[in-house]
């Protein structure tokens, strides 16, 4: 029955062509969806596993008794200096919220900025251009501009990122000399969007937690309207020694619970989303799909709390995975940084109901 065969072959052929076209256009997203959907099987959660229960209520006097509650001893002798070491991006709003939150407990802010993204594209030096916004912290700020360069063949964004962290290590080392030799320092190592709460730093300054500790942060996307979970662990605080270096990787198995906020993709304008999607170290996630950079699609994504790269969220067990597929929009703004709430009108885009950019 050659006739019937031919009759069947034509739709089969068309279907195959369509399938090949769809897969080639979306191969990156399909691969990602498969690896995300099976992640609970092949991957284990990264990060520290020894979680220190965190005790705090507004007005608590953080003293030796509170240290004991956390299983720590109160520090005796001279007061530790606290340094907040920040790699600047374009996120001026988060920087302002961060510096105001930490100002009461931080002695120095070290800020490093580059004129290129980690992928080597030129970018504005946001901090240098907006210094007057941070004038009230002027006396505490040490700033260094690190010239960026286009990636050489064989180099990746991760090399550029590592180089920038190296520069921060050098900046901290060169400044340690200005403190009296007997003055000990704590260094906060966290990205600009990973903001420890002031009372957390007060606790770590008062109590001897050891050489280093990670900070578990509430992880939000787009604004404080969308809480993903308590999944952020890379931020850390270190007692600075001669061989300490500035890092964003695991340095200890101990992590202090609920120690602040990590607001990912919390930008004021749509162009910042596009710059970030092109510029950061996971830029391969775009996978050649330029339509992902469409401003209307990004705006819609922000208002619906969906993953910006159109991927399934990373999760390590199926309960988690399904609970993250659709985030629930928050109707509370309790327990957020003080400066954010005091300036709610200016920072409306970071608060529930303010998703329109
Ligand atoms: C800590 O503060 C509380 C409340 O102010 C007080 O009752 C307690 O005695 C203090 N503990 C120490 C070790 O100073
Ligand atoms: C960054 O600044 C340096 C020094 O001013 C300059 O040589 C370099 O070309 C700049 N890089 C970019 C990507 O603009």
């Amino acid at each position: 029955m050659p006739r019937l065969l031919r009759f069947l072959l034509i739709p089969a052929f068309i279907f195959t062509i369509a399938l090949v076209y769809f897969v080639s256009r979306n191969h990156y997203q399909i691969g990602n969806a498969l690896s995300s959907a099976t992640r609970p099987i092949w991957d284990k959660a990264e990060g520290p596993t020894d979680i220190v229960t965190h005790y705090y209520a507004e007005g608590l006097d953080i003293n030796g008794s509170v240290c004991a509650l956390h299983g720590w001893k109160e520090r005796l002798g001279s007061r530790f200096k606290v340094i907040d070491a920040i790699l600047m991006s374009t996120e001026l709003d988060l920087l302002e919220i961060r510096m105001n939150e930490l100002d009461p407990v931080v002695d120095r802010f070290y800020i490093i900025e580059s004129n290129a993204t980690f992928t080597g594209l030129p970018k504005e030096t946001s901090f240098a251009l907006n210094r007057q916004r941070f004038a009230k912290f002027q006396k505490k700020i040490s700033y260094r501009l690190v010239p960026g360069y286009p990636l050489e063949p064989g180099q990746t964004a991760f090399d550029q990122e590592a180089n920038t962290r190296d520069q921060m290590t050098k900046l901290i080392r060169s400044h340690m000399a200005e403190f009296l030799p007997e003055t000990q320092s704590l260094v906060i190592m966290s990205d600009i969007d990973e903001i420890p709460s002031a009372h957390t730093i007060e606790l770590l300054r008062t109590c001897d937690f050891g050489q280093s500790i990670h900070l578990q942060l509430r992880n939000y996307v787009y604004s404080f309207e969308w809480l993903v979970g308590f999944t952020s662990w890379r931020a850390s605080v270190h007692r600075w020694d001669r061989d300490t270096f500035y890092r964003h990787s695991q340095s200890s198995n101990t992590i202090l619970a609920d120690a602040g906020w990590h607001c990912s993709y919390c930008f004021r304008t749509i162009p910042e989303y596009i710059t970030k999607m092109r510029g950061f170290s996971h830029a391969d996630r775009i996978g050649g799909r330029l339509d992902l950079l469409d401003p209307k699609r990004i705006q819609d994504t922000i208002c619906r709390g969906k993953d910006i790269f159109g991927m399934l969220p990373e999760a390590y067990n199926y309960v988690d995975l399904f609970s993250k597929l659709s985030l629930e929009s928050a109707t509370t703004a309790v327990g957020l940084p003080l400066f954010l709430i005091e300036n709610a009108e200016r920072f409306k885009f970071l608060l529930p109901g303010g998703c329109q950019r």
Side-chain angles (χ1 to χ4, degrees):
M1 339 168 179
R3 209 166 186 184
L4 180 57
L5 200 59
R6 215 180 309 151
F7 181 73
L8 282 174
L9 264 177
I10 290 166
F13 182 70
I14 291 171
F15 176 77
T16 308
I17 297 284
L19 187 68
V20 166
Y21 175 75
F22 179 78
V23 169
S24 66
R25 205 176 134 66
N26 294 282
H27 68 96
Y28 191 82
Q29 279 66 26
I30 292 170
N32 236 314
L34 282 177
S35 80
S36 293
T38 56
R39 182 182 287 271
I41 298 165
W42 57 260
D43 206 355
K44 267 183 31 203
E46 294 182 282
T49 53
D50 179 13
I51 303 174
V52 177
T53 304
H54 190 171
Y55 298 87
Y56 182 72
E58 205 180 327
L60 179 70
D61 175 18
I62 297 176
N63 62 14
S65 309
V66 176
C67 292
L69 204 51
H70 292 81
W72 296 326
K73 288 211 164 67
E74 188 175 5
R75 293 184 197 282
L76 300 169
S78 66
R79 187 182 164 286
F80 271 56
K81 291 244 184 237
V82 180
I83 291 163
D84 187 19
I86 307 164
L87 301 184
M88 184 61 201
S89 58
T90 56
E91 291 162 89
L92 292 161
D93 292 302
L94 288 184
L95 182 66
E96 193 178 349
I97 291 166
R98 179 191 187 110
M99 290 176 90
N100 277 283
E101 172 73 20
L102 292 178
D103 185 39
V105 290
V106 157
D107 297 281
R108 302 298 302 256
F109 293 101
Y110 290 173
I111 299 174
I112 280 196
E113 180 166 50
S114 175
N115 58 352
T117 64
F118 289 149
T119 48
L121 302 171
K123 77 167 179 65
E124 275 193 347
T125 49
S126 308
F127 184 80
L129 293 172
N130 292 278
R131 240 185 136 135
Q132 78 294 342
R133 227 171 123 174
F134 304 93
K136 73 171 179 178
F137 308 115
Q138 187 50 42
K139 284 215 278 263
K140 289 188 179 180
I141 296 176
S142 304
Y143 172 81
R144 183 173 289 178
L145 177 71
V146 176
Y149 44 86
L151 295 183
E152 316 233 326
Q155 265 187 342
T156 69
F158 291 104
D159 299 322
Q160 190 111 288
E161 186 173 341
N163 173 53
T164 312
R165 292 192 194 284
D166 255 19
Q167 296 291 332
M168 181 60 91
T169 301
K170 288 191 180 127
L171 178 64
I172 298 170
R173 285 191 183 150
S174 72
H175 276 71
M176 279 302 166
E178 90 188 40
F179 301 143
L180 296 170
E182 67 268 21
T183 305
Q184 298 225 56
S185 301
L186 296 179
V187 176
I188 303 170
M189 303 186 188
S190 69
D191 284 354
I192 198 165
D193 59 358
E194 298 168 341
I195 307 177
S197 56
H199 67 78
T200 292
I201 301 305
E202 177 64 18
L203 177 71
L204 298 179
R205 187 172 74 178
T206 307
C207 313
D208 185 0
F209 58 84
Q211 189 63 42
S212 76
I213 188 166
H214 282 273
L215 306 180
Q216 183 197 63
L217 307 176
R218 298 181 184 213
N219 202 173
Y220 298 86
V221 280
Y222 314 128
S223 75
F224 293 99
E225 177 163 357
W226 304 105
L227 177 63
V228 181
F230 290 67
T231 48
S232 178
W233 60 268
R234 289 185 176 272
S236 60
V237 175
H238 295 245
R239 194 171 64 207
W240 190 269
D241 278 340
R242 268 192 332 214
D243 51 1
T244 312
F245 58 95
Y246 188 76
R247 60 196 293 179
H248 199 231
S249 54
Q250 187 169 352
S251 55
S252 153
N253 194 39
T254 307
I255 183 165
L256 177 63
D258 202 5
W261 314 269
H262 181 178
C263 204
S264 309
Y265 296 95
C266 293
F267 305 128
R268 188 183 278 276
T269 66
I270 301 285
E272 286 174 88
Y273 282 87
I274 297 174
T275 307
K276 171 84 174 192
M277 288 169 75
R278 286 218 177 103
F280 86 144
S281 309
H282 306 287
D284 61 335
R285 284 191 194 176
I286 295 173
R289 282 282 308 275
L290 289 180
D291 56 315
L292 292 180
L293 300 175
D294 172 28
K296 280 231 300 281
R297 196 197 69 90
I298 294 175
Q299 177 63 72
D300 183 58
T301 302
I302 296 167
C303 283
R304 293 196 298 145
K306 306 269 262 199
D307 185 281
I308 196 149
F309 292 107
M311 298 191 310
L312 293 173
E314 288 183 9
Y316 299 95
N317 64 63
Y318 281 110
V319 176
D320 250 25
L321 184 66
F322 289 114
S323 71
K324 282 180 193 170
L325 281 176
S326 64
L327 297 175
E328 192 120 359
S329 98
T331 52
T332 171
V334 174
L336 296 179
L338 176 62
F339 191 75
L340 170 62
I341 304 302
E342 283 176 345
N343 296 276
E345 205 42 55
R346 258 179 75 206
F347 297 118
K348 210 171 163 179
F349 73 101
L350 288 174
L351 292 167
C355 70
Q356 207 62 39
R357 294 300 192 267

